Amino acid sequence: MSQNIRVFYTSTTLSWGFTVRYKEVSAAQPSYILPPPTTIVGAFSYPLARMLGLADSLPERKAYKNGYLASKTMKAFLDSTLAASAGVAGEGGLVMHQEPSKIHASIYKGVSEADRIRAEPFTEKFYRDALTRIFPVQATGATYAPGVKLYMTWVLDADKLLKNLRESGVRVDEEDLDSAARQAVHGVTRVGSKEGIVAVDHGLTGYERNPEIVSPGGKIRTIQYVPSECVDPEDKIPQVTLPYLDYSPRLFYIPSESASNTFLKPYSIPTGKWLRVKHPCKAYAPREFKEEFTSVGI
């Protein structure tokens, strides 16, 4: 059965970097070295949802799935996604750095504790005992990469998206989707937190119906990360752990000179690496820029 597929792709320039915090981490809060698939979906779908007039509301019955809560709109986009990926190329690199945040005092023994703290002189004993009465300093992480080029791809099943939207009470036809998407793909403004501003290179940005598909056994060349279970690389490629579309941790190959959870050095030019697609995965690529924007999904 053939799928009615759409692919969004763009090359953006990071202003300073981005912040995408680890899931289920409350104290030390590192950032992922690359935006994971869910963040890529969010970057593309935010302007698309605005152009389609979709409300990003929470479901009436808030139900947790695999430890997360998604709005109806975001859930419709995620469930319709076939692949989402990102990669970098050019001079410079990415580094995840953590800095201590503000110290937040917490008086949790009532008024008497507050009176006792105010009454005590600022002695060595006071400072030693005070450490047990405040929250520990939280190290807040961000990935710094000023001026670095970030390539992103989002591949979705258009029929499934329209069906998911209808089931959530929103009626959008295919013509409206395509009309909005061709403009929305140029409206990507940020990655991750709202401070992660990006500038779109409109010459390397586009929206394509029914892109090229590489079936299992075929070879691709890409600079974007790929789920490790989906490909056999011809050469050694760095691996990092990122959350997948269902927020579960997965190993991804990152075609680059070197990479870890805290550091990434990209290729000086977008050369990519040759990979053989494994069953049951497929690769999807816009025909004009397939060696940069190829994305692989399970």
Side-chain angles (χ1 to χ4, degrees):
M1 181 179 176
S2 61
Q3 289 176 301
N4 191 11
I5 298 173
R6 303 292 188 273
V7 58
F8 296 70
Y9 60 92
T10 185
S11 171
T12 64
T13 302
L14 298 168
S15 60
W16 65 269
F18 57 86
T19 299
V20 182
R21 302 280 167 73
Y22 276 38
K23 184 174 79 76
E24 297 176 348
V25 173
S26 60
Q29 300 178 44
S31 176
Y32 292 106
I33 195 63
L34 279 174
T38 51
T39 301
I40 303 303
V41 174
F44 283 112
S45 64
Y46 178 70
L48 177 60
R50 287 174 63 89
M51 291 202 66
L52 290 173
L54 304 180
D56 194 24
S57 59
L58 293 174
E60 293 179 4
R61 291 188 175 183
K62 298 179 180 180
Y64 284 88
K65 177 183 178 184
N66 296 332
Y68 72 96
L69 177 65
S71 70
K72 286 183 179 181
T73 303
M74 186 60 176
K75 189 174 187 304
F77 286 131
L78 287 174
D79 289 347
S80 309
T81 298
L82 299 173
S85 187
V88 292
E91 301 301 324
L94 293 82
V95 60
M96 195 285 292
H97 178 62
Q98 290 181 262
E99 298 177 350
S101 63
K102 297 178 181 179
I103 299 175
H104 298 280
S106 173
I107 300 171
Y108 43 91
K109 290 189 178 180
V111 177
S112 61
E113 178 72 358
D115 291 340
R116 194 179 72 81
I117 291 176
R118 285 196 295 268
E120 285 199 23
F122 297 106
T123 62
E124 180 181 350
K125 180 179 181 301
F126 167 78
Y127 286 111
R128 185 178 66 247
D129 294 344
L131 291 177
T132 63
R133 300 186 180 93
I134 63 174
F135 288 129
V137 178
Q138 295 187 358
T140 302
T143 299
Y144 293 94
V148 167
K149 296 287 186 182
L150 179 69
Y151 298 76
M152 298 188 292
T153 305
W154 178 34
V155 185
L156 62 84
D157 183 327
D159 289 338
K160 190 171 183 180
L161 175 60
L162 297 176
K163 177 177 178 292
N164 289 342
L165 291 175
R166 284 196 300 270
E167 290 177 350
S168 63
V170 178
R171 302 199 66 84
V172 176
D173 61 32
E174 188 172 333
E175 185 178 345
D176 290 336
L177 172 65
D178 287 334
S179 177
R182 291 189 186 96
Q183 300 176 64
V185 70
H186 293 273
V188 175
T189 57
R190 64 184 175 92
V191 173
S193 67
K194 63 183 179 180
E195 294 84 5
I197 305 300
V198 300
V200 169
D201 181 344
H202 297 287
L204 291 172
T205 296
Y207 172 74
E208 191 171 302
R209 294 167 56 99
N210 298 317
E212 183 175 336
I213 299 176
V214 180
S215 299
K219 293 176 66 176
I220 62 170
R221 193 175 187 180
T222 182
I223 62 171
Q224 299 190 102
Y225 58 70
V226 179
S228 62
E229 65 266 40
C230 282
V231 294
D232 281 326
E234 290 188 348
D235 302 308
K236 187 175 181 180
I237 300 178
Q239 289 181 300
V240 301
T241 299
L242 298 170
Y244 195 55
L245 294 166
D246 60 359
Y247 293 82
S248 65
R250 299 281 182 90
L251 270 176
F252 288 83
Y253 286 115
I254 297 185
S256 59
E257 290 189 21
S258 59
S260 68
N261 288 334
T262 59
F263 173 82
L264 191 154
K265 181 173 176 53
Y267 299 122
S268 57
I269 57 175
T271 55
K273 284 284 188 179
W274 285 105
L275 309 164
R276 187 177 299 277
V277 181
K278 295 167 59 176
H279 180 79
C281 304
K282 292 182 180 179
Y284 310 89
R287 300 177 190 278
E288 187 176 358
F289 300 109
K290 62 183 181 181
E291 291 193 0
E292 290 88 4
F293 295 104
T294 299
S295 193
V296 178
I298 301 174

